[in-house]
Amino acid sequence: LLATLASLVVMLDQEHNRDTKLDAGARKRTRDSIRAGIAYIEEHYREKCTLNQIAEHAERSPIYFHDVFQDVMGMTPYEYIAQLRLEEAKRLLSLSDMDPCDIAEYCGFCSQSYFNFVFKKAMGMTPLNYRRGAAARFLDAENEK
């Protein structure tokens, strides 16, 4: 995932830099700080992860990091964190028998009700319905063998 994101960062950064007057050194520092921010987020997304912490790790001011991250990645750092949490929750709902409340806590959501709200908004169904669908898809795949 990090390698894919790193190549996406490079590609988006190249497109972004066509429209700016940054010198090569400034572009490299920007690219490096976005990579550092992504690495920090991917390591800490299950924890309370603040913009100040991410920006400090990326050696940028919070506002600058937020704006550049959004320009390059097409989403805010918080949207990226939410995306990682949702992907992990979907994985756990599909592949484990963990209780959704435990999944919410494990993935870094502040409560199960907020997890349910965010999940339903993003996926169009509750976490339990997603799990049921994943189980049905698994059984269908097994029956096709």
Side-chain angles (χ1 to χ4, degrees):
L1 181 62
L2 187 55
T4 303
L5 287 172
S7 63
L8 176 65
V9 168
V10 170
M11 180 185 72
L12 291 172
D13 186 50
Q14 289 169 347
E15 185 171 317
H16 172 73
N17 287 327
R18 286 186 201 122
D19 300 328
T20 63
K21 302 283 187 211
L22 294 176
D23 65 36
R27 285 194 302 271
K28 183 181 180 327
R29 287 189 300 278
T30 298
R31 196 171 40 250
D32 290 348
S33 51
I34 295 298
R35 282 189 183 130
I38 288 171
Y40 183 85
I41 290 169
E42 289 184 350
E43 187 174 328
H44 297 278
Y45 73 91
R46 292 180 23 226
E47 306 163 14
K48 183 178 180 183
C49 201
T50 68
L51 181 59
N52 287 341
Q53 291 168 322
I54 300 165
E56 182 178 322
H57 187 77
E59 299 178 352
R60 297 293 182 167
S61 74
I63 292 171
Y64 179 84
F65 180 80
H66 178 277
D67 291 347
V68 170
F69 188 96
Q70 187 168 15
D71 285 347
V72 171
M73 297 297 290
M75 67 181 82
T76 68
Y78 289 121
E79 290 169 336
Y80 185 65
I81 291 168
Q83 180 180 321
L84 291 176
R85 287 175 176 169
L86 281 171
E87 290 302 316
E88 180 66 2
K90 287 178 357 185
R91 187 184 73 76
L92 292 171
L93 286 164
S94 296
L95 301 175
S96 79
D97 62 352
M98 281 177 72
D99 186 84
C101 185
D102 295 333
I103 290 173
E105 183 179 339
Y106 178 81
C107 292
F109 291 94
C110 59
S111 68
Q112 183 177 2
S113 61
Y114 182 67
F115 168 57
N116 289 340
F117 171 79
V118 170
F119 196 94
K120 187 170 184 177
K121 185 176 178 184
M123 301 304 300
M125 65 184 79
T126 66
L128 283 176
N129 285 339
Y130 183 87
R131 174 174 273 165
R132 288 182 191 122
R137 287 187 300 276
F138 175 77
L139 291 174
D140 288 344
E142 288 296 310
N143 288 334
E144 289 177 6
K145 290 182 179 179

